[in-house]
Amino acid sequence: MPESNETHVLLFSYGTLQDKAVQRANFGRELTGRADAMTGYVQRWVDITDPEVIKTSGLARHPIVYASYDPKDEVPGMVFEITQQELEAADRYEVSDYKRVSVLLKSGVHAWVYIKA
């Protein structure tokens, strides 16, 4: 668990950041999260060329989401409570195809998420 005196943020993952090996490589620990979803988005795929990201995830194709603006569209995933330092580690892990934005999840909480840049 993160230290209690650290600032915590919420991170929503629909892809490789849910993988325990990716979490250990980026955060030095496994995360515990809860199921949630992004509405108004659809999931597609992106080819990854960064060898370190491929090595960490074991995958050359990662999911990526785009805004559809249709409230019926939904991307399921997990929301994790992480530290600001762990969020910065996630920023370093994500390739330039992604950008980090704050979204309102189906549960009503706001969380950071990586979407199509």
Side-chain angles (χ1 to χ4, degrees):
M1 268 321 271
E3 294 297 319
S4 59
N5 63 350
E6 293 184 72
T7 301
H8 294 101
V9 296
L10 297 178
L11 176 67
F12 179 78
S13 173
Y14 54 86
T16 61
L17 286 172
Q18 294 180 70
D19 183 284
K20 299 298 184 193
V22 171
Q23 293 171 5
R24 285 190 301 271
N26 286 287
F27 310 129
R29 67 184 182 104
E30 292 183 6
L31 304 179
T32 302
R34 63 185 183 277
D36 211 327
M38 297 172 63
T39 54
Y41 287 84
V42 292
Q43 183 180 300
R44 300 285 187 262
W45 295 91
V46 63
D47 292 321
I48 302 297
T49 57
D50 184 305
E52 281 302 308
V53 173
I54 294 170
K55 180 181 170 191
T56 301
S57 71
L59 302 168
R61 293 183 81 218
H62 287 193
I64 194 166
V65 295
Y66 297 77
S68 69
Y69 307 104
D70 183 339
K72 292 186 298 287
D73 289 332
E74 187 172 294
V75 176
M78 297 290 288
V79 64
F80 301 105
E81 188 174 306
I82 62 172
T83 67
Q84 184 63 40
Q85 291 80 6
E86 289 169 333
L87 185 61
E88 291 163 10
D91 286 345
R92 290 188 294 274
Y93 168 73
E94 295 294 353
V95 296
S96 62
D97 297 276
Y98 296 87
K99 67 179 178 181
R100 178 166 48 94
V101 298
S102 180
V103 296
L104 178 64
L105 298 176
K106 191 174 184 177
S107 66
V109 300
H110 283 89
W112 291 111
V113 66
Y114 296 93
I115 68 169
K116 170 78 174 129

